[in-house]
Amino acid sequence: PVTARCESSADVSRACVTLRQVINTNGFVSVVEPPAEEQYLGKMPASFKMIAALLGDLDDSDGRGKVHFRWDSSPEVRNRTAEHVRRAFPRDDPEEPVGVLIVTWENMAARGTPGRGDGLDTKRNTFQLVVASMELSSCAILLYPRDRLQFLSTPVGGESKLLEAGFNEGLVAGWWWSEKQGTYFRTTTDEETSIRELTEKTNSGQNGVWVYEIGSSPIFVAITPGMVTTLPEEDAIKPPVTLSPRRSEKPQVVPQETDESPTETPNEYSPVQPRYPEPAQPVPPRSRSQQPQIVVVDEDENLDVNVFAYNSETCALNRHKCSAFADCRDYSNGYCCHCRPGFYGNGKDCVAEGKPQRMNGKVNGRVFVGNSPSPVELSNNDLHSYVVANDGRAYVAISNIPDSLGPSLQPLSSLGGVIGWAFALEQPGYQNGFSLIGGMFSRQAEVIFQPGNERLSIKQQFTGIDEHDHLVVSTELEGRVPAVPLGSSVQISPYKEIYQYDTNLITSSSNRDYTVTSPHGGGGAQTRSYQWRQTISFQSCPHAEAATAATQQLSVDQIFVMFDADNHLIRYAMSNKIGSLPEQNPCFTGRHGCDINAVCRPGDGLRFTCQCATGFNGDGRYCHDVDECRETPQVCGPNAVCSNQPGTFRCECLSGFVFASEGRTCIEETRPVDHCQRGSHDCDAADRALCSYTGGSAFVCSCLPGFVGDGRVCQDVDECQQDRCHHDAFCSNTQGSYNCQCRPGFHGDGFQCRPASSEREKTPCERHRESAQAATSSSGIFSFFRPRPAVGQYVPQCDRHGAYEPTQCHASIGQCWCVDASGQEVPNTRTGPGSTPLCIDQAVTPAPVGPTPRPDVHPVAPGTHLLFAQSGKIEHVPLDGYDIKKEEAKPLLHIPDRVVIAVAYDCVEKMVYWTDITGPAISRASLSGGDIIPVITTELQSPEGIAIDHVARLLFWTDSMRDTVEVSKLDGSQRRVLFDTDLINPRPIVTNPAYGRLYWADWNRDGPKIEMSNMDGTDRTVLVKDDLGLPNGLTFDLEDQQLCWADAGTRKVECMDPHRRLRRQIVEGIQYPFALVSFGRKLYYTDWRREAVVAVDRHSEKETEEFLPQRRSRLYGITTTPTQCPQGTATLPLTSYTSRCKEESINR
């Protein structure tokens, strides 16, 4: 939370009573520390006071979303704020503001929405809240984007909830010291239209701007909306004059909270004003493990929003937005960037004349071929291009194209045609695409093939030049193409295409002819054609005069296309010229012989000269790279290292230094301090409060469950005053918890108590057993004999509590099978003579005798722990290195009415996930304490395995009754069945995030196996099928890339390198393992017969330790809670190597 106060006595007025403000990333400002977001998202009105600018589950964790605020009381800002209020209330004579608070939520995304991975396709909203404090009242101004909001709802609890805006009073005093819900003045409704209208309508005479008087106290009892719902005529033709957020000149000061109660305007919302921004300080984004309460206290000078804007469009403020090879020029209404001589581009992207240009990107989409009913899927296929700029020759290659699609893509040289246009050889008086619009634009094209009328849509997004000087593009294909047989060659005739230029828009269309020659000449040659239409959208500089012709002609010849079936590559090459050909100077035809790193300068007639591009030396026929780092050693300045690159160089700061805000000077890095780890925080004692590190040197204090307070002072909650126990039970309060115990004459767990009886009622199993025995008993003179079943009669076996034994056997026929808690046979578990199935006890643990702790999570101390399931609870035991600290074992979670089977841990959000077969359900809870959160509660029967991909944020599980392997997001959304065939008894499942692989085992006695696949369900393969019995436990070591399993049939623990298929035995002669987890050099497994956790050293191949829990019973799933996520998830070197090979292939 961030607080603000008046910075000098000059600011003090009756309205300047400082209250604490919390600016929240979920789109609101409150006057108190908000509770967990689960208590207010989708559940408004909330219990606390807030102004909701646009409330939803918003995400800034990708670094692009930011929150800024600023307090200001300068005359300029106060006057502009007063103008908004006057426009909204024209009949009033409003007071002048004494100060303004401006809060800006910039580029906020909806949490949990799917995206491409790089965040470029994520929908984002930017909006503002301005609170003006007057002498006797306050006004709130809400500002939304001029164009539109990109998303209108966010996922909350598995459902889509609309965004909200309004003023919430929270709980207020009622009669007799009670509390009641106060006013919630909502400015939106439950209709989606009301959210859209935030940008389309107004109450202040300016669309997207909403003004409200919010009263003279922080209770929000007198909300008065603005009165002007129509636009004045002059505003309909000129843009609104508004304010823009900027950073304050110095860091915000943390105020002292005052005991004075406010009688005037709530200065909880202090104001801000725009001045020229100072360099921004980097602020860490919201971590997924935090509640969304941490705020950036400065504003980015690059903030590009259309709300509360002022004229900051000058080179003094925006020079950094131009390319390093461009000059900034001021115009009457703004500024523009212009490439310097020797470079070309739009000023924001500039490249050296004559220098070859590379381009990288990805191709996605679905393409139908011919009459095929099924599309060919393209998923992140690599696209690489190379352009020899001084002759306009462009080369394009797309990798991993299947044989079913590759031949039919050959006619589409236009896939790379836009690259040829962007870097086409320029004729006198004409400019290629990159010279005009740079490297940031979008392209939409439609292809209509004749005579079959097949249609294909091509969408390409060019996102500029990256740090490697490569142009970056993403491509999407959708539609159908005519079939071209494998082995066919395609020739495309030269063509000319007219490009028509308008403001921020370029269009072109043409007809293309191509000839398909069948392989071996069997089908002869066929000439076909297609129609081509495209639109290119871009953002030009509106202030400079455009010097571009209204139309330009692109000439394309020497077209080469080929599908390389051996390497699954589609290749295109073409020569491109822009403009007409008034003369045949070699510079305009490309036949000049200049070096590829040189520019051709035309002279008179056929004369020309070759000049090496900037960053190269030579005579133009041969150019070599200039090593700027060697020739000018101090070019990067102190505390930096210079790295030479072709035609340029790069500066990188030494370790311990970072670039200053201007991006050139290396300054010493301000290292953050983790006060939680150091112990220098001011949170309450560790047994009452939790200190959570939030990045930088910031931390948050929060009380542990069972305590209440602000985290710095926590007091015990007396739960016995809240009637938590049964009315026939005693309640005893303890520090942070409480106990329930049934009164004498009653029995139960204290939460449920029943009268005690002299004789316990028979269970269904006992009644079943009794009826089976009675069915064969005799009558008459033999009735005094004890009933006994006849030969061949099945009699159920019950345990000491009267529940069905999980494994039932019929001795007369020599068969055994598994049953559920009701005694029903579990399908596919019946075995023949001499073998017994591996059955899970599905009976609920009987209620304990004596006081019972409440069923929630007890916080876990820092460090790595083992977590293991034991029927109705999950326990944790710390690890000291690899040794089990047995004396410190404690329960993590009590759920006495559940049978927990599998457990898994998310190292990012520090959450434990588990399956229970009683619900059945998949649930989760935080290690830091709190409530149980259901994740999956429907369409489950017996979930027995669970695994987490902490990188992709995915949850995988197996269901041995449904015979499925399934996947969802970590919150249970976007659920999908990966496999539901060729599975009998799937149980353990693990992930390898580094390679995107999934492994699971099936203990089917007739054919046990271990399988693997990609995480999207492709490439399913049987990894191990020989010498397996009951492969119960499965684990994957990310560091060593080893897959290990524990087998209760062969009584062995084995490991395998799944990449090379090298298998080795670790130990043998173990008893009855159930689950297995790897940690460093150790393997830990749970054993049913030993009722213990057993440690095995993989290196020495010996058992090293045994831990026996205090309560002896079967142990189930086991996992670890590492202090940080595994580091073995970077596949970048492989990607880089592959990309380089592909680029070199293009050049060849």
Side-chain angles (χ1 to χ4, degrees), residues 14 123 260 478 591 646 850 984 1126:
R14 287 193 299 137
K123 294 182 178 180
E260 185 179 353
E478 189 77 29
R591 299 174 183 176
I984 302 299

Side-chain angles (χ1 to χ4, degrees), residues 25 58-67 108 111 285-286:
T25 53
L58 306 181
D59 188 6
D60 66 340
S61 61
D62 61 359
R64 296 191 65 195
K66 298 177 182 177
V67 184
M108 304 298 287
R111 180 172 296 279
R286 164 183 168 191

Side-chain angles (χ1 to χ4, degrees), residues 505-522:
L505 190 68
I506 300 171
T507 60
S508 71
S509 62
S510 66
N511 290 320
R512 311 278 173 85
D513 293 327
Y514 64 96
T515 302
V516 179
T517 303
S518 300
H520 315 301

Side-chain angles (χ1 to χ4, degrees), residues 18 143 204 329 335 348 407 412 574 682 716-717 935 963 1003 1030 1095:
T18 302
L143 304 106
S204 67
R329 189 178 307 164
Y335 73 96
K348 295 192 174 181
L412 286 174
M574 64 211 74
D682 59 350
D716 175 55
V717 175
V935 179
D963 296 336
W1003 60 268
L1030 296 172

